[in-house]
């Protein structure tokens, strides 16, 4: 608090002597003057941390002085003090980005509170956040040992993400490291939980909402009396949704938010096709071989999402539903859809698959510059937020609000920053993904993966009679022994998906209505 310099500008400054003495006793340094012109001269000569500015002064008014000060010192906090409660003065002052607005007569404690809000806020928030997390840390540690349900794990993951985002803005490396260790521990326990329970989720109603049940259970019930847009942002993690949410909340209010589970493998060709078909991969392979491609097949694996969606609507008896499907894979196609957005009003449902986050995670692997920009989860969130603020996707959301659309937002799976290599050996037909493998005669470290010898047990297709699946747990990635060191250095600390982690499997589904 020491060395805080205040400039107080008021043409009746003598009447404020008790307030000034009060502040000086608390070690604030107060400089006073009686006009706007005088204030502008003093500001040129001496640095200040904050300005208290009377609105009603002869000569330059407070609002005029405010404007002049902001031109000179754009980031200097200014607290406007006025006798008037006229709305236009408040609006103009707030529009000029004042730090606070006080109405006379002010008492010393109001002044002190305003100072703390504007000058001590980051320190006070940091101390409070750290203190709150220290208490919550013990509770999370105890609760983690008790979690034994898919609902419990979704809630635990949400708690960890809440604290990760809270701690992001405070400069306490120790706290961040403690939280990181809790996330690692959580993923280790979650891996054991999935290994034990995942195969049981396909028996009746024992499991959570998953990729293949999302449409029937959650999306179809939302269709009705207003045009609806479903945006599937590929590869969007729960924490990335949480940093997008405040921007979207400017235009839409949230009606519902659930966490649902991506199927395994948590990879686009499996999870997103499951969303649109309403089927597990083994059923897609059996019923629609013309649309489904296995890992070893040539060609794009997600080229028939609209065809799959059509089969699901027919199966659900929704033949009269008017719908469209759009896939956005680059800036040009995004802008084109923005330009034609009004035509979507004629549909009951418009499905938009947006591929940016997926492209970002892949380019992080391929491009050194993106590796630098997204070196950890905090940076990855920041990069995706920056993209979102300037993307055609945000323009679509703004247009959806103006058009009175209901908005559904979801994803197909998340992604995890992989840090620990684990060796795997397979034949030349083994799939290429770093977080899961399918093939014959796989050799691997048992403790690092969940192995499924019989793919039918988890509703996955068998490429041949003896093929199996393995899924990497927590932050592991599967590396071949040949050229091991080069492989590891290339892929370590990149974002991958396909395996078992909270980040990949527990993902958001959100229903919003226009404001």
């Amino acid at each position: 608090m020491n060395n805080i310099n205040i400039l107080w500008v008021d043409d009746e400054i003598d009447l404020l002597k008790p307030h000034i003495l009060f502040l000086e006793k608390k070690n604030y340094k107060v400089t006073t003057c009686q006009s706007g012109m005088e204030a502008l001269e003093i500001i040129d000569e001496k640095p200040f941390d904050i300005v208290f500015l009377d609105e009603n002064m002869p000569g330059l008014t407070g609002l005029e002085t405010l404007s002049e000060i902001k031109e000179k010192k754009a980031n200097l906090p200014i607290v406007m003090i006025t006798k008037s409660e006229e709305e236009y003065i408040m609006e103009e002052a707030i529009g000029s980005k004042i730090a606070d607005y006080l109405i006379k007569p002010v008492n010393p404690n109001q002044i002190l509170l305003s100072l703390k809000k504007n000058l001590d806020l980051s320190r006070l928030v940091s101390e409070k956040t750290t203190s709150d997390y220290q208490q919550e840390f013990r509770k999370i540690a105890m609760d983690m040992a008790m979690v034994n349900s898919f609902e419990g794990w979704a809630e635990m993951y949400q708690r960890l993400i809440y604290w990760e985002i809270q701690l992001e803005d405070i400069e306490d490396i120790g706290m961040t490291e403690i939280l990181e260790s809790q996330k690692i521990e959580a993923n280790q326990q979650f891996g054991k939980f999935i290994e034990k329970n995942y195969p049981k989720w396909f028996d009746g109603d024992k499991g959570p909402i998953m990729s293949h049940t999302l449409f029937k259970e959650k999306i179809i019930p939302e269709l009705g009396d207003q045009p609806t847009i479903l945006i599937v942002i590929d590869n969007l993690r729960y924490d990335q949704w949480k940093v997008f949410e405040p921007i979207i909340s400017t235009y839409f209010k949230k009606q519902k938010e659930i966490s649902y589970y991506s199927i395994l493998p948590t990879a686009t060709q499996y999870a997103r096709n499951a969303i649109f078909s309403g089927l597990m991969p083994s059923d897609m392979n059996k019923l629609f071989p013309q649309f489904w491609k296995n890992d070893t097949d040539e060609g794009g694996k997600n080229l028939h999402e609209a065809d799959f969606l059509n089969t699901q609507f027919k199966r659900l008896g929704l033949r009269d539903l008017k719908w469209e499907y759009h896939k956005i894979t680059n800036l040009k196609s995004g802008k084109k859809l923005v330009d034609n957005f009004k035509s979507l009003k004629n549909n009951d449902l418009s499905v938009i698959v947006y591929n940016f986050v997926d492209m970002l995670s892949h380019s992080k692997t391929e491009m050194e510059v993106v590796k630098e920009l997204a070196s950890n989860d905090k940076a990855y969130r920041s990069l995706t937020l920056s993209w979102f603020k300037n993307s055609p996707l945000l323009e679509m959301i703004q247009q959806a609000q103006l058009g009175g659309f209901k908005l559904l937002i979801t994803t197909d799976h998340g992604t995890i920053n992989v840090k620990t290599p684990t060796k795997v050996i397979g034949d030349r037909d083994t799939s290429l993904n770093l977080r899961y493998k399918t093939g014959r005669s796989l050799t691997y470290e048992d403790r690092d993966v969940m192995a499924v010898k019989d793919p039918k047990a988890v509703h996955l297709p068998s490429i041949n009679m003896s093929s199996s699946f393995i899924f990497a747990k927590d932050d592991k990635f599967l590396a071949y022994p040949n050229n091991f060191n080069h492989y590891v250095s290339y892929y370590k600390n990149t974002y991958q998906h396909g395996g078992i982690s909270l980040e990949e499997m527990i993902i958001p589904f959100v229903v919003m209505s226009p404001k």
Side-chain angles (χ1 to χ4, degrees):
M1 190 191 297
N2 289 335
N3 303 319
I4 296 293
N5 288 302
I6 301 166
L7 175 63
W8 200 322
V9 190
D10 195 310
D11 61 317
E12 297 175 326
I13 201 73
D14 293 342
L15 302 177
L16 298 168
K17 194 74 176 168
H19 297 64
I20 292 162
L21 288 171
F22 171 81
L23 291 175
E24 286 174 342
K25 279 182 185 171
K26 294 193 173 289
N27 295 323
Y28 290 98
K29 293 175 181 172
V30 185
T31 301
T32 62
C33 67
Q34 294 181 289
S35 73
M37 288 303 296
E38 199 181 344
L40 294 173
E41 288 170 14
I42 293 171
I43 277 172
D44 280 337
E45 295 164 6
K46 185 177 172 185
F48 290 95
D49 298 292
I50 193 164
V51 177
F52 289 114
L53 179 62
D54 182 31
E55 200 289 312
N56 188 17
M57 295 185 295
L60 277 182
T61 66
L63 286 172
E64 289 166 342
T65 307
L66 169 65
S67 177
E68 296 273 352
I69 292 174
K70 282 291 180 187
E71 278 190 30
K72 291 171 179 283
K73 312 265 182 172
N75 297 317
L76 179 60
I78 299 174
V79 177
M80 182 70 82
I81 302 175
T82 176
K83 287 178 185 169
S84 171
E85 294 186 37
E86 287 191 48
E87 196 172 343
Y88 85 92
I89 293 176
M90 291 185 193
E91 287 182 353
E92 201 162 329
I94 291 164
S96 300
K97 297 185 178 174
I98 57 163
D100 209 348
Y101 192 95
L102 303 178
I103 294 171
K104 289 184 176 181
V106 290
N107 66 51
N109 283 320
Q110 279 178 291
I111 297 292
L112 190 61
L113 179 60
S114 188
L115 285 167
K116 286 193 177 297
K117 273 198 304 189
N118 286 292
L119 300 179
D120 270 1
L121 184 64
S122 60
R123 177 183 64 79
L124 294 170
V125 168
S126 175
E127 288 174 1
K128 179 81 167 65
T129 304
T130 301
S131 165
D132 288 351
Y133 174 62
Q134 283 170 337
Q135 292 175 25
E136 182 73 355
F137 167 79
R138 301 187 215 15
K139 196 166 183 317
I140 288 173
M142 287 190 294
D143 291 349
M144 199 185 295
M146 309 290 288
V147 179
N148 196 29
S149 67
F150 59 80
E151 302 98 331
W153 275 114
E155 186 185 327
M156 174 59 65
Y157 180 48
Q158 287 167 8
R159 280 167 72 185
L160 290 167
I161 291 303
Y162 170 81
W163 284 108
E164 185 171 18
I165 292 172
Q166 291 296 306
L167 292 170
E168 186 173 280
D169 294 326
I170 70 171
E171 299 301 320
D172 191 329
I173 293 168
M175 283 294 112
T176 306
E177 286 175 349
I178 290 169
L179 179 68
E180 193 58 37
S181 71
Q182 280 202 315
K183 279 174 66 187
I184 290 167
E185 167 70 13
N187 261 327
Q188 289 168 349
Q189 298 302 325
F190 181 68
K192 293 173 186 172
F193 170 79
I194 291 295
E195 196 162 20
K196 181 180 175 186
N197 293 283
Y198 183 79
K200 302 174 189 172
W201 288 353
F202 301 97
D203 302 334
D205 58 359
K206 291 180 185 174
I209 300 292
M210 296 173 73
S211 310
H212 64 301
T213 57
L214 181 70
F215 240 95
K216 182 181 177 184
E217 299 294 330
K218 293 296 172 184
I219 295 172
I220 299 301
E222 295 298 334
L223 305 182
D225 55 358
Q226 69 187 115
T228 298
I229 291 207
L230 168 66
I231 299 176
V232 182
I233 305 174
D234 193 13
N235 224 358
L236 184 76
R237 294 172 8 153
Y238 181 77
D239 61 330
Q240 290 169 317
W241 156 246
K242 281 294 152 192
V243 296
F244 286 0
E245 185 180 354
I247 300 171
I248 299 174
S249 295
T250 308
Y251 310 100
F252 283 83
K253 52 181 180 286
K254 187 163 68 177
Q255 303 293 329
K256 297 174 195 165
E257 179 180 323
I258 66 155
S259 292
Y260 83 101
Y261 278 70
S262 169
I263 63 164
L264 293 175
T266 48
T268 306
Q269 74 195 73
Y270 290 91
R272 203 161 74 206
N273 279 327
I275 291 172
F276 289 126
S277 67
L279 300 168
M280 285 297 288
S282 57
D283 295 319
M284 286 184 259
N285 185 41
K286 184 169 71 179
L287 298 172
F288 301 104
Q290 71 274 35
F291 301 148
W292 173 260
K293 285 189 185 296
N294 284 308
D295 280 82
T296 51
D297 294 335
E298 292 292 320
K301 307 291 194 288
N302 282 80
L303 300 179
H304 293 284
E305 289 166 358
D307 295 316
F308 273 132
L309 192 50
N310 192 37
T311 65
Q312 181 169 195
F313 286 149
K314 284 179 180 172
R315 202 167 61 252
L316 295 174
L318 298 169
R319 292 171 188 272
D320 296 331
L321 189 77
K322 192 167 188 319
W323 63 278
E324 276 181 34
Y325 164 92
H326 299 270
K327 184 184 284 187
I328 308 300
T329 55
N330 55 49
L331 185 65
K332 186 179 176 184
S333 59
K335 287 190 172 297
K336 185 178 177 186
L337 186 55
V338 169
D339 292 340
N340 298 319
F341 200 84
K342 287 194 172 85
S343 67
L344 303 185
K345 194 89 188 254
N346 302 320
N347 301 325
D348 299 310
L349 175 66
S350 301
V351 177
I352 300 170
V353 172
Y354 216 104
N355 257 25
F356 175 80
V357 180
D358 183 59
M359 289 188 286
L360 176 66
S361 71
H362 289 308
S363 66
K364 175 169 162 46
T365 305
E366 303 297 331
M367 293 169 58
E368 285 300 322
V369 64
V370 181
K371 281 187 185 181
E372 293 290 328
L373 286 170
S375 58
N376 55 37
D377 286 354
K378 178 181 175 181
Y380 192 39
R381 280 192 294 273
S382 176
L383 189 59
T384 47
L385 178 60
S386 177
W387 160 75
F388 178 68
K389 285 178 177 175
N390 299 285
S391 70
L393 179 55
L394 180 54
E395 291 181 64
M396 288 175 203
I397 288 167
Q398 291 164 338
Q399 293 238 26
Q401 183 222 7
L402 294 172
F405 289 82
K406 181 185 281 190
L407 178 63
L408 314 180
I409 295 179
T410 193
T411 184
D412 43 10
H413 55 78
T415 182
I416 187 168
N417 193 339
V418 294
K419 295 173 183 169
T420 314
T422 181
K423 288 182 180 176
V424 63
I425 300 170
D427 64 21
R428 63 181 182 171
D429 293 327
T430 302
S431 59
L432 299 174
N433 189 289
L434 272 71
R435 291 283 291 163
Y436 77 92
K437 299 283 182 197
T438 181
R440 291 173 297 191
S441 309
L442 295 172
T443 306
Y444 45 84
E445 296 284 347
D446 284 328
R447 68 179 181 276
D448 294 339
V449 303
M450 168 178 158
V452 178
K453 303 278 195 216
D454 177 13
K456 289 197 294 294
V458 290
H459 297 263
L460 293 176
S462 297
I463 295 171
N464 53 58
M465 290 292 287
S466 57
S467 63
S468 60
F469 276 82
I470 59 169
F471 304 101
K473 296 182 194 170
D474 42 80
D475 67 356
K476 306 289 192 306
F477 64 103
L478 302 164
Y480 295 114
N482 304 348
N483 213 0
F484 184 76
N485 291 334
H486 169 74
Y487 197 82
V488 166
S489 65
Y490 187 74
Y491 286 109
K492 189 175 182 179
N493 199 34
T494 63
Y495 284 88
Q496 303 293 334
H497 50 81
I500 297 170
S501 68
L502 294 159
E503 289 90 335
E504 290 161 288
M505 289 190 77
I506 298 179
I507 46 179
F509 171 75
V510 188
V511 179
M512 306 186 92
S513 61
K515 283 188 171 177

